[in-house]
């Protein structure tokens, strides 16, 4: 879960989210909201993401500002749950 949070939040290509689905949602103003352990247990889900599924949340009154923030300064808006997982990853990682 921590590695998944870091991958979606912190791994970048030219400053934008490395994951194309994350990049799509973030460009459109969403918040990286929740990571669900075993949210997709189909064979494809297990193979593609170890069964993890991610929720992106759109707060309609914030989508324009979130999108502008991401596009201009490449900052990812994320929930406290995701940020806590990122912090745990950073504490325990040697990357």
């Amino acid at each position: 879960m921590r590695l998944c949070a870091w991958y979606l939040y912190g791994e970048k290509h030219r400053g934008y989210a490395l994951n194309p689905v994350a990049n799509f949602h973030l460009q459109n103003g969403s918040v990286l909201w929740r990571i669900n352990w075993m949210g997709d247990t189909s064979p494809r889900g297990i193979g593609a993401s170890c069964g993890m599924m991610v929720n992106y949340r759109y707060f309609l009154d914030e989508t324009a500002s979130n999108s502008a923030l991401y596009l201009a300064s490449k900052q990812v808006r994320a929930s406290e749950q995701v940020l806590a997982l990122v912090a745990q990853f950073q504490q325990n990682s040697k990357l």
Side-chain angles (χ1 to χ4, degrees):
M1 296 273 292
R2 294 184 298 254
L3 180 59
C4 180
W6 174 252
Y7 170 69
L8 295 170
Y9 180 83
E11 289 298 319
K12 307 285 178 85
H13 176 69
R14 295 187 179 142
Y16 296 108
L18 183 60
N19 180 274
V21 174
N23 191 48
F24 170 82
H25 286 289
L26 295 167
Q27 283 183 10
N28 287 307
S30 73
V31 175
L32 179 54
W33 192 251
R34 182 173 43 218
I35 299 172
N36 304 293
W37 175 252
M38 298 308 280
D40 185 355
T41 58
S42 70
R44 183 173 184 265
I46 297 293
S49 62
C50 298
M52 287 189 241
M53 184 178 281
V54 179
N55 297 114
Y56 295 91
R57 187 164 180 190
Y58 289 85
F59 295 97
L60 296 181
D61 58 335
E62 298 176 9
T63 55
S65 61
N66 289 348
S67 177
L69 181 69
Y70 181 69
L71 294 171
S73 61
K74 300 164 179 79
Q75 292 181 10
V76 174
R77 292 277 327 271
S79 70
E80 291 298 319
Q81 182 232 25
V82 173
L83 292 175
L85 289 168
V86 168
Q88 290 171 19
F89 173 82
Q90 289 174 321
Q91 278 183 327
N92 298 316
S93 174
K94 294 184 169 82
L95 295 180

